[in-house]
Amino acid sequence: MRNHITGNEAVVLAAIDAGAKLMFGYPITPATEILEGWIKYANESKKVGYIQTEDEIAAGFCVNGAVLAGKIAFTASAGPGHILLQDSLSMAENMRLPYVAIVMQRGGPSTGTVNFSQQEVNLAAFGGNGDGYRVVYSASSVRELYDLTYKSFQTAWKYRFPTILLGDGYLAKMSTDLAIPRKNKTVSATKIFDTEHPVNLRNCFSTEESFGEYLSDHEAAWRKFAPKIAESEKFFVDESKYLIVAHGLVAAAAKETIVKYGKTDHIGLFRPITLNPFDQVALRDAVVGKKKIFVIESAKNQLSHIVKYALSGLKIEIIEISKPAQGFTSEEIITKIRKHNG
Amino acid sequence: MTKKILFVGEGGQGIQTIAKTIAHAADSHYQHSSYIPSFGVEQRGTPSIAFVIVSDEEIHYPRFETADILVILQPRGLNVVEQYIDKSTQIIFDSSIMEPSLFAKYRSDISAIPATAIAHHIGNPRVFNVVVTAVVARMIEIDRIETWKAIVLLLGSKLKDNSLLKQNEDAYHSGWQFELEKSKFSPADFQPETRNIIKKGYGKKAIIMPAKCKGCNICISKCPVRALSSSTTLNAFSTFIPEIDLEKCVACGNCTQFCPDNAISVTKE
Amino acid sequence: MDKLEPRCRKEAAIPHLFCPGCGHALVLKTLGRVIDDMKIARQTAFGIDIGCSLLAWNFFDINTIQTHHGRTAPVMVGYKMAEPKSVALAYVGDGAAYAIGLQSIIHTALRNEPITMIVVNNENYAMTGGQMSPETETGVITQTSPRGKDMNLGAGLKSPELISSLGNEKAFIARGSVANLVELNKLIKKAIENQTKNNSFSFLEVLSICPTNWRTNAKDSFSRLESMSKYYKTGIISETTKEVN
């Protein structure tokens, strides 16, 4: 009998392997199993802690508190809970706290569906008030949920930007029998509150000028580190004439399309792994010589406006194929592309 | 004709009232006016700044880069508003609390009125902002009666008391008819005291610290024998520090205990 | 730094920026003394909220974090869980604690999270200009109750009593006042000890004055405080009678 692992379980394993010590969460489909899995591990190993908080607002702020002590901490949520995380994320953006959140996208707005969507991209990448910076990864497989969860902790603690990993309900609940190589090194974490040299941290400023200066420091850090963080994958890009741009599980379906029809229909895939910072340099390079770009997402105009911004100034036809909160099969993708190509 | 006026003083001095009054009364001479405060989180203890624009053209944006007129009523605010000064700016300052040398480096036209001294003379330091309002109103040629009406409207219930009303009227009159000082400036006698005041006698030692005192008068209210009273010495926040009669004092410790600023202590020697 | 200031005071932030006569300054002065006496400055983490409490961001030479509105309790809960040997203090105003932050305080108390909360109650949202808060008593005029707080909006919320009704027997729950700083000192000490010795939750409300928004002089501020304490009774409301492990 093969050992199966679900997406949510992979997240828990990665958090453990990264050296996370605390999880704060609230039950919400389709991320609840992350909280439950963590609690099971906590009770069995007695090495880590958790709180099931009164809501996601508290969960996010508990993360902000825990990281001050140099302890790796995270939360996991979805949909309406993701909205509630924006308050704590904003604080983490302003104060450069190593906050990690795993978000399993579901259909919104409001309660919506509990299953699947790619509709939380805007919220994840740009949901704060003010010009804050946060890193957003998008996983396209169960294995990537493990790898990118681990990477989220690394990125957050190394570069001090709050980091979100986006998955979705299908990825969260699907199980795979593929073995996932485990990491055997924990992420290094340092204290922000030092007893020998106390710090006074605030996020409220009296004058616009002093705040502007403070924000300029953040911007400088982002400019410096963004090129190191931005990541993407090219799948049969060089030999193609038509380029699909898709992320997450939709990209996985697109890969299947390319495996079947790539040669006949000359299509390749550019898959952003980070949605923010977006790997603009790589995309601008990938579109050279391409006849058309197809941006495919299970949302309306969320990935596509990031793509269009990244490609601004270039003369290239961009076609948006969107199905808010509904997935694509590989057959559907090729049908739609062929329809556009006549 | 457009005039861009920047007001700066201490929080609690009534700067916003001056600015609002000017903006309200301006329609006696200008087509349009706008007012916006510049504010941070603190209610007191940081500079209070207001931007007023009076114009015959429509005003789109309430702030500006350079002030035509800068009314500065506390030296602490100077470094915050420096960016709005150039040599075309007319600077008006309170000569009873600031030295003209503060402004030498700007090469701007300066004039002054000893508003704090005038208000003091009238018997109520708080009416100083009405003195200043009159000066500014006259300077930009808005109507004397309209401006007084605006003052009455904005100060509202604060003027219900007849003696307060008279003091404000006197202040307004003084300000309106005052010939602005252009060279022979009044001495800056109303400077805040910065050094600690130490008093000894009757077996007691009292220390009062004007650099920390905010003039809240809690110590005065908590003294069981009325040994403390308000003085005429200014602290850094433009209010008055207490003074102590050591003969009456019984060194009960109330003032030391209840001072929110740790600005007073009385001990037995 | 002169001897009148607590040793844990941050010299660079003298004078502080609280209004003349502000009750916060009296509470912080007392808290500073307790921290000095208990010798806990090094391990204390001081969380503050939005509102006038944020003016304490650089008051002490102690690790301090200003959080978002109503979120100080969860931040300090998370910190304490990550650093159990610390003394985690959450210092907030009545607006922050009893409106937007009430949900978190109730659950923090219910779970007996070992943090110490100090809520400074001056019956209004002071920093935003004096709007009514859940603590404003009926009939009181504020910026958002220009005709006096409507009776239909209910009497002021008696929060320590509310928290006591949750049934956490290990909690220390009390109400003090800036009218009696000697008593306040004792209450703060007990509140902190309930965390350090009993690893349990403490909640201390402190009746305070706001001369700026109450538009009162020194004498009248304390008179109003006196009348507040007729409705919001001071004293220990709940405490554990034995040491808990």
Side-chain angles (χ1 to χ4, degrees):
Chain A
M1 191 180 75
R2 288 260 178 97
N3 199 23
H4 266 232
I5 178 169
T6 65
N8 281 339
E9 285 166 347
V11 168
V12 174
L13 283 180
I16 293 166
D17 292 345
K21 287 279 173 278
L22 296 168
M23 181 187 177
F24 304 97
Y26 188 84
I28 183 156
T29 314
T32 308
E33 291 82 6
I34 299 174
L35 179 64
E36 289 174 350
W38 181 265
I39 291 177
K40 183 158 178 279
Y41 175 71
N43 287 327
E44 283 167 4
S45 72
K46 307 230 188 288
K47 287 184 187 166
V48 300
Y50 63 91
I51 300 180
Q52 180 184 317
T53 54
E54 55 275 22
D55 52 36
E56 289 88 342
I57 297 173
F61 282 99
C62 280
V63 171
N64 281 334
V67 300
L68 295 174
K71 294 285 183 349
I72 299 176
F74 72 106
T75 184
S77 193
H82 184 192
I83 296 207
L84 295 182
L85 290 182
Q86 297 303 323
D87 195 2
S88 52
L89 274 164
S90 254
M91 178 174 165
E93 281 178 317
N94 184 284
M95 302 177 94
R96 301 284 303 281
L97 300 175
Y99 171 125
V100 170
I102 317 298
V103 173
M104 297 303 189
Q105 299 169 95
R106 47 187 270 176
S110 190
T111 311
T113 67
V114 296
N115 312 323
F116 167 87
S117 84
Q118 293 194 318
Q119 293 177 319
E120 299 181 35
V121 170
N122 281 343
L123 190 59
F126 311 115
N129 63 314
D131 295 316
Y133 299 101
R134 73 268 293 269
V135 174
V136 181
Y137 289 104
S138 177
S140 66
S141 65
V142 171
R143 161 102 193 241
E144 264 205 328
L145 277 174
Y146 176 90
D147 287 338
L148 292 177
T149 295
Y150 184 91
K151 193 171 253 180
S152 294
F153 289 109
Q154 277 182 317
T155 299
W157 283 88
K158 185 169 181 192
Y159 300 110
R160 300 297 166 110
F161 298 108
T163 305
I164 298 171
L165 170 58
L166 284 180
D168 59 61
Y170 291 164
L171 273 175
K173 305 265 190 181
M174 72 184 252
S175 70
T176 176
D177 61 353
L178 292 174
I180 296 178
R182 306 276 295 266
K183 310 238 187 250
N184 56 15
K185 195 164 163 241
T186 57
V187 170
S188 74
T190 51
K191 285 188 189 197
I192 295 169
F193 268 3
D194 178 352
T195 48
E196 290 314 302
H197 306 284
V199 289
N200 299 77
L201 304 174
R202 59 157 173 176
N203 55 60
C204 183
F205 293 77
S206 252
T207 68
E208 289 132 34
E209 290 79 9
S210 59
F211 187 47
E213 258 179 59
Y214 182 77
L215 290 181
S216 298
D217 289 344
H218 289 347
E219 192 193 344
W222 182 257
R223 283 228 202 116
K224 184 173 166 195
F225 298 130
K228 300 184 195 196
I229 300 170
E231 220 179 309
S232 57
E233 182 194 359
K234 283 167 35 168
F235 192 72
F236 294 100
V237 164
D238 296 332
E239 49 268 69
S240 66
K241 289 196 194 132
Y242 304 102
L243 189 65
I244 297 174
V245 181
H247 74 106
L249 204 52
V250 174
K255 277 186 180 172
E256 202 180 282
T257 309
I258 290 164
V259 164
K260 286 191 232 172
Y261 304 105
K263 285 219 173 85
T264 53
D265 291 63
H266 313 286
I267 31 176
L269 164 74
F270 176 91
R271 179 175 77 91
I273 296 174
T274 52
L275 293 172
N276 201 45
F278 191 77
D279 201 352
Q280 179 171 299
V281 168
L283 178 61
R284 286 175 85 93
D285 181 70
V287 303
V288 171
K290 301 288 177 274
K291 286 193 174 164
K292 281 182 199 169
I293 314 292
F294 291 94
V295 181
I296 308 181
E297 57 179 326
S298 295
K300 204 80 189 143
N301 202 13
Q302 297 205 20
L303 176 65
S304 78
H305 93 249
I306 295 176
V307 169
K308 284 183 172 179
Y309 181 81
L311 295 179
S312 60
L314 296 180
K315 261 197 179 144
I316 188 148
E317 191 182 353
I318 301 176
I319 292 150
E320 291 159 329
I321 297 179
S322 62
K323 271 201 340 178
Q326 300 152 84
F328 292 88
T329 60
S330 57
E331 291 303 318
E332 230 182 311
I333 290 174
I334 195 63
T335 309
K336 288 203 194 282
I337 289 178
R338 282 178 177 166
K339 202 164 157 202
H340 275 282
N341 287 344
Chain B
M1 163 75 97
T2 298
K3 290 261 176 239
K4 302 188 209 107
I5 312 165
L6 183 64
F7 296 89
V8 60
E10 201 62 45
Q13 267 186 321
I15 304 302
Q16 302 302 327
T17 306
I18 303 173
K20 278 191 240 186
T21 305
I22 298 294
H24 272 67
D27 68 354
S28 64
H29 192 76
Y30 299 87
Q31 294 283 354
H32 301 281
S33 66
S34 75
Y35 151 81
I36 188 169
S38 174
F39 51 95
V41 292
E42 298 89 347
Q43 297 229 31
R44 299 284 183 277
T46 50
S48 178
I49 295 168
F51 295 81
V52 171
I53 304 176
V54 297
S55 180
D56 293 317
E57 273 111 47
E58 198 180 335
I59 299 165
H60 297 284
Y61 188 70
R63 293 168 63 121
F64 41 77
E65 255 194 50
T66 309
D68 295 319
I69 300 171
L70 169 68
V71 180
I72 174 162
L73 303 167
Q74 249 296 322
R76 259 189 353 142
L78 186 56
N79 59 345
V80 181
V81 298
E82 254 186 346
Q83 56 181 295
Y84 301 99
I85 302 173
D86 76 8
K87 44 191 207 312
S88 68
T89 309
Q90 279 184 285
I91 300 178
I92 305 176
F93 67 100
D94 183 340
S95 48
S96 52
I97 51 177
M98 282 178 273
E99 305 274 356
S101 57
L102 279 174
F103 310 101
K105 58 175 163 167
Y106 304 115
R107 319 241 217 104
S108 316
D109 181 54
I110 59 172
S111 36
I113 174 167
T116 302
I118 292 174
H120 221 67
H121 188 69
I122 289 171
N124 184 354
R126 289 180 165 280
V127 305
F128 115 110
N129 63 342
V130 172
V131 175
V132 175
T133 306
V135 165
V136 178
R138 194 181 106 189
M139 196 173 178
I140 62 170
E141 297 174 79
I142 56 182
D143 185 74
R144 180 170 177 160
I145 295 176
E146 287 304 307
T147 306
W148 176 250
K149 278 190 194 165
I151 290 175
V152 170
L153 183 71
L154 285 166
L155 287 181
S157 56
K158 291 183 191 171
L159 292 180
K160 278 208 177 105
D161 184 317
N162 273 333
S163 68
L164 271 177
L165 181 61
K166 173 94 179 38
Q167 285 171 333
N168 278 283
E169 279 174 340
D170 287 347
Y172 190 66
H173 179 73
S174 303
W176 196 276
Q177 60 166 31
F178 191 86
E179 197 66 54
L180 284 179
E181 297 164 351
K182 293 260 180 208
S183 51
K184 291 198 183 70
F185 296 103
S186 296
D189 285 341
F190 287 82
Q191 302 257 27
E193 180 56 74
T194 48
R195 297 157 305 169
N196 290 349
I197 293 166
I198 300 172
K199 209 167 168 186
K200 291 186 191 178
Y202 300 94
K204 285 152 267 182
K205 176 180 172 188
I207 305 176
I208 293 171
M209 303 180 206
K212 293 202 285 181
C213 172
K214 297 209 180 88
C216 70
N217 293 348
I218 287 180
C219 55
I220 296 173
S221 72
K222 286 288 181 190
C223 178
V225 295
R226 297 191 194 203
L228 286 163
S229 57
S230 208
S231 73
T232 52
T233 306
L234 284 172
N235 57 37
F237 298 91
S238 275
T239 50
F240 298 104
I241 62 172
E243 62 186 354
I244 189 163
D245 179 341
L246 285 176
E247 191 180 357
K248 287 186 185 162
C249 169
V250 294
C252 68
N254 270 6
C255 56
T256 312
Q257 199 191 158
F258 283 97
C259 176
D261 300 284
N262 288 326
I264 183 170
S265 91
V266 176
T267 45
K268 287 201 177 114
E269 290 255 283
Chain C
M1 193 159 71
D2 68 74
K3 293 206 176 88
L4 293 181
E5 300 288 348
R7 286 192 310 274
C8 58
R9 184 84 169 81
K10 197 166 176 121
E11 190 160 11
I14 298 174
H16 57 68
L17 293 177
F18 290 96
C19 290
C22 176
H24 270 288
L26 292 172
V27 180
L28 291 167
K29 166 173 160 155
T30 312
L31 173 62
R33 291 252 177 277
V34 173
I35 290 174
D36 284 350
D37 294 342
M38 293 177 82
K39 296 188 169 40
I40 51 172
R42 281 273 162 270
Q43 68 256 53
T44 298
F46 186 56
I48 55 179
D49 203 286
I50 305 294
C52 293
S53 69
L54 75 76
L55 295 172
W57 78 277
N58 58 355
F59 197 90
F60 294 119
D61 196 13
I62 284 174
N63 280 316
T64 305
I65 179 124
Q66 179 215 320
T67 72
H68 282 196
H69 199 35
R71 316 302 181 207
T72 310
V75 171
M76 299 324 288
V77 163
Y79 181 74
K80 177 77 183 188
M81 182 165 249
E83 195 76 78
K85 293 205 179 99
S86 65
V87 175
L89 301 179
Y91 179 86
V92 316
D94 53 288
Y98 300 147
I100 188 168
L102 186 60
Q103 156 104 324
S104 285
I105 292 179
I106 287 176
H107 289 273
T108 301
L110 204 54
R111 297 194 306 257
N112 197 35
E113 301 285 358
I115 67 166
T116 303
M117 283 207 77
I118 300 174
V119 179
V120 178
N121 176 8
N122 55 22
E123 294 190 334
N124 78 118
Y125 284 89
M127 176 160 277
T128 41
Q131 294 78 31
M132 73 177 187
S133 85
E135 298 300 283
T136 307
E137 297 173 69
T138 48
V140 173
I141 293 174
T142 68
Q143 292 289 103
T144 44
S145 59
R147 294 187 186 182
K149 185 174 173 186
D150 192 334
M151 274 193 60
N152 293 325
L153 296 176
L157 176 62
K158 288 184 176 169
S159 309
E161 289 82 349
L162 168 69
I163 292 163
S164 175
S165 73
L166 297 173
N168 177 358
E169 287 172 1
K170 300 177 193 162
F172 173 83
I173 302 171
R175 185 186 280 114
S177 166
V178 299
N180 189 338
L181 298 177
V182 171
E183 180 67 18
L184 181 61
N185 185 302
K186 290 186 190 147
L187 292 174
I188 292 177
K189 184 157 186 275
K190 281 193 147 195
I192 293 177
E193 279 176 343
N194 203 42
Q195 180 184 157
T196 53
K197 290 188 179 160
N198 300 334
N199 202 39
S200 292
F201 177 71
S202 305
F203 189 85
L204 174 61
E205 178 181 296
V206 184
L207 300 178
S208 182
I209 55 175
C210 180
T212 299
N213 289 305
W214 290 358
R215 309 205 206 295
T216 47
N217 59 29
K219 182 160 164 286
D220 293 342
S221 299
F222 280 89
S223 300
R224 178 164 164 175
L225 187 62
E226 169 85 33
S227 95
M228 269 168 80
S229 65
K230 293 196 168 68
Y231 180 71
Y232 294 118
K233 304 228 185 304
T234 56
I236 295 176
I237 290 154
S238 168
E239 65 179 329
T240 183
T241 45
K242 49 189 176 192
E243 277 199 24
V244 179
N245 283 331

